[in-house]
Amino acid sequence: MELGFTHHQSAHCENGVASNLLKHQGFDISEPMIFGIGSGLFYVYIPFLMVNHAPAISYRPMPGTIFNKAAKRLGFKVKRVKFSNPKEAEKALDENLKNNIPTGLQVGVYGLSYFPDEYRFHFNAHNCVVYGKTETDYLVSDPVMETVTTLTHKEMEKVRFAKGAFAPKGQMYYPTSIPTKADLPKAIIKGIKETCRDMLAPVPIVGVKGIRTVAKMIAKWPEKKGVKVANHYLAQIVRMQEEIGTGGGGFRYIFAAFLQESAEILGKPELRELSFEITKIGDQWRDFALEASRVYKNRSSKKDVYNLLSQELLKIADLEEDFFKKLKKAIA
Amino acid sequence: MKQDEVPQDEGNLSKKNVRELLYATDKDGNYTTALSTGWEPKSIALSNSLEVINERIEEAKNDFKAGKSSPIPYFMELAKMDLPILASYVGMWQWRVKRHFKPSVFAKLNDKILSRYAEAFDITTSELKHFKAD
């Protein structure tokens, strides 16, 4: 059984699934729009939590929130179901396919056989769409892949019931009611307002202040943790920052694309100017990644390179603080 | 980032002919999308992480050979897991899993418990029980 479903590749899995599912229902919306309206740009350093034996930094909100917020602000409903029993989870998914509903799933990356082995880590907040089933396989539209792909029935059970942090628990979701006409300008402003509020939050681990906290930690790593660990931490930062579906630079570019689209919709040319500004900040995030990669490539331990990186990141934090203050004013 | 600056380095994705999508600007500054085969800083970051994992696997193997630990830490590292992840896969408390790292405790585990580990590692119970590091 195969439902007609058009696969569009995206930069980030959750926006991509949301945008693809909505497009399928006839509601044409771009990935950057979902990202912006759903307040996808975020930064949080989570103290005490270690991921892959390194400090946990997230550039995105909790899994599911982008889609949920976008749904609320655009006026459509999303049904989400979790399961404790894999058999029931399978039955519910098959039932959906029978009823002609392409269905979004939260899955663990470790079991995704279509990813290169190097990419298969225990990361559970990935998203994809299932749009059909054959004797042996499920038909899968994974938005970070260029084309559609498949998973065997057994693999599907494994990825839906991956364990660890953010365990998906078989979670499936799909939009139920689609508005004929959404109030885009209102949704855009809500999305931007929340992003500004998060990034300027007076909390030392969130937003701009969170970036500063991490910057200050970096300077201390070589002395406190030794060269090897410091290098490993730095490599992990770059992975979490620039890998597919996460993002320092990448997310700034999606946000910039969102601001360009919004400038037209709201008739606010200043948003276009701001989009250029955040693009430049995105470039700086990538420069930071490039500089950091030189450090761990050469296994450098010189204290001043870590200080330099720390200063670079502090500079980015200053630029972002300034940017989000201006953005807040622009839509006030 | 400008469209023509989108990196096309050899990356880990390009091995499977996968390219990732990025947002980039065209010559008029308008946003569009572009595909990238990879970017060197990311590739090195990933290989660095894999190196760290391989070192941990090797260390766990040596600990097993030296009789310092059971095979569980070795298979845990091999599956890129850490203690909290493994504990949630086998459905036991972390302290209990940690106890099973001891060779003396491991030797007394029954097949039911062993099968939970085997399933988590995607191997057979006998492979786990009779593991010989080469």
Side-chain angles (χ1 to χ4, degrees):
Chain A
M1 169 188 18
E2 181 177 345
L3 317 180
F5 186 76
T6 317
H7 173 86
H8 302 271
Q9 194 182 5
S10 70
H12 174 57
C13 64
E14 191 177 333
N15 311 322
V17 163
S19 152
N20 282 346
L21 285 176
L22 290 174
K23 275 180 183 156
H24 177 80
Q25 306 276 358
F27 188 80
D28 195 15
I29 188 157
S30 69
E31 176 190 5
M33 266 294 149
I34 294 280
F35 181 74
I37 291 173
S39 304
L41 195 77
F42 193 63
Y43 189 95
V44 62
Y45 157 62
I46 309 163
F48 311 118
L49 181 68
M50 300 293 269
V51 176
N52 292 325
H53 314 284
I57 297 163
S58 178
Y59 296 81
R60 54 186 271 188
M62 291 281 286
T65 51
I66 299 179
F67 198 4
N68 280 352
K69 279 179 185 159
K72 207 172 146 200
R73 288 165 189 166
L74 289 168
F76 62 90
K77 291 208 168 62
V78 181
K79 190 167 161 102
R80 279 179 190 277
V81 207
K82 283 188 184 183
F83 303 87
S84 51
N85 181 337
K87 286 290 153 246
E88 265 168 45
E90 187 181 348
K91 226 169 77 190
L93 176 60
D94 293 354
E95 196 62 33
N96 255 12
L97 295 174
K98 237 178 249 161
N99 293 330
N100 233 337
I101 307 170
T103 304
L105 293 179
Q106 187 191 333
V107 295
V109 170
Y110 188 69
L112 294 178
S113 51
Y114 52 80
F115 270 7
D117 279 348
E118 293 90 339
Y119 269 80
R120 294 171 59 182
F121 280 87
H122 294 276
F123 171 72
N124 286 332
H126 191 62
N127 295 274
C128 62
V129 174
V130 171
Y131 68 97
K133 187 182 187 179
T134 66
E135 288 281 299
T136 51
D137 293 335
Y138 277 101
L139 309 180
V140 176
S141 156
D142 185 322
V144 304
M145 302 291 284
E146 280 185 75
T147 54
V148 290
T149 172
T150 58
L151 285 173
T152 65
H153 296 168
K154 199 178 162 212
E155 284 169 342
M156 183 55 85
E157 185 181 316
K158 263 207 166 146
V159 298
R160 292 183 75 188
F161 285 89
K163 300 280 166 55
F166 304 122
K169 299 196 172 80
Q171 180 161 190
M172 59 179 224
Y173 55 93
Y174 48 96
T176 46
S177 70
I178 301 289
T180 41
K181 215 170 174 258
D183 189 351
L184 264 183
K186 207 175 140 200
I188 289 169
I189 286 176
K190 268 213 160 139
I192 294 179
K193 265 192 184 154
E194 186 174 322
T195 300
C196 290
R197 200 182 64 214
D198 288 344
M199 291 306 286
L200 298 170
V203 187
I205 56 166
V206 175
V208 169
K209 285 200 154 65
I211 301 174
R212 287 200 183 108
T213 302
V214 171
K216 284 172 198 152
M217 279 161 44
I218 290 176
K220 290 184 198 145
W221 282 345
E223 221 160 86
K224 251 178 126 177
K225 304 280 175 186
V227 190
K228 221 179 133 190
V229 174
N231 275 317
H232 170 63
Y233 282 7
L234 214 50
Q236 281 301 118
I237 281 200
V238 170
R239 282 189 55 210
M240 286 186 271
Q241 189 185 309
E242 300 297 335
E243 258 332 327
I244 30 169
T246 54
F251 269 22
R252 267 73 194 165
Y253 300 143
I254 308 178
F255 195 72
F258 159 69
L259 288 182
Q260 277 196 358
E261 243 186 289
S262 301
E264 303 265 324
I265 295 167
L266 299 177
K268 277 185 187 289
E270 58 267 44
L271 291 186
R272 198 177 154 83
E273 290 307 311
L274 285 166
S275 118
F276 296 137
E277 194 173 325
I278 193 79
T279 301
K280 276 200 198 113
I281 297 174
D283 292 342
Q284 299 223 13
W285 277 102
R286 284 179 76 93
D287 287 344
F288 170 79
L290 184 66
E291 291 300 326
S293 76
R294 289 198 178 121
V295 175
Y296 53 72
K297 189 182 176 184
N298 304 324
R299 306 187 194 276
S300 175
S301 62
K302 279 184 225 132
K303 211 177 167 297
D304 52 321
V305 293
Y306 278 83
N307 276 332
L308 237 73
L309 280 173
S310 167
Q311 278 159 19
E312 186 108 351
L313 204 51
L314 285 173
K315 228 187 284 162
I316 291 177
D318 290 344
L319 290 173
E320 294 216 332
E321 182 172 13
D322 187 48
F323 168 83
F324 286 108
K325 278 184 176 157
K326 275 194 251 172
L327 183 60
K328 201 174 156 188
K329 256 197 203 137
I331 51 139
Chain B
M1 186 168 43
K2 297 199 180 68
Q3 212 175 355
D4 50 13
E5 288 168 2
V6 170
Q8 305 293 348
D9 301 342
E10 192 174 317
N12 293 287
L13 284 173
S14 51
K15 282 182 211 154
K16 272 212 169 180
N17 283 324
V18 180
R19 285 177 299 173
E20 63 179 301
L21 184 132
L22 290 172
Y23 284 80
T25 50
D26 66 13
K27 58 182 188 328
D28 304 316
N30 290 321
Y31 263 91
T32 174
T33 59
L35 292 170
S36 163
T37 53
W39 191 37
E40 205 200 354
K42 282 180 17 176
S43 310
I44 326 170
L46 188 56
S47 12
N48 174 290
S49 297
L50 293 172
E51 239 170 73
V52 170
I53 289 173
N54 286 335
E55 275 169 30
R56 298 180 71 94
I57 295 172
E58 209 43 46
E59 211 175 295
K61 198 190 225 175
N62 291 336
D63 282 353
F64 169 76
K65 276 190 197 158
K68 277 194 275 186
S69 72
S70 75
I72 292 175
Y74 167 75
F75 283 108
M76 176 180 87
E77 297 294 347
L78 198 63
K80 295 183 191 157
M81 293 179 179
D82 57 13
L83 184 60
I85 294 174
L86 177 58
S88 83
Y89 265 98
V90 294
M92 292 180 228
W93 294 98
Q94 290 185 31
W95 60 264
R96 206 172 152 206
V97 172
K98 217 169 172 179
R99 231 170 73 83
H100 298 162
F101 285 8
K102 284 190 197 163
S104 57
V105 178
F106 179 79
K108 286 183 218 148
L109 291 180
N110 63 36
D111 278 9
K112 213 176 141 202
I113 296 283
L114 288 174
S115 72
R116 285 208 241 167
Y117 282 106
E119 200 184 325
F121 299 141
D122 214 1
I123 54 175
T124 64
T125 310
S126 129
E127 273 174 286
L128 178 63
K129 227 174 172 173
H130 305 293
F131 175 65
K132 299 206 173 43
D134 302 329

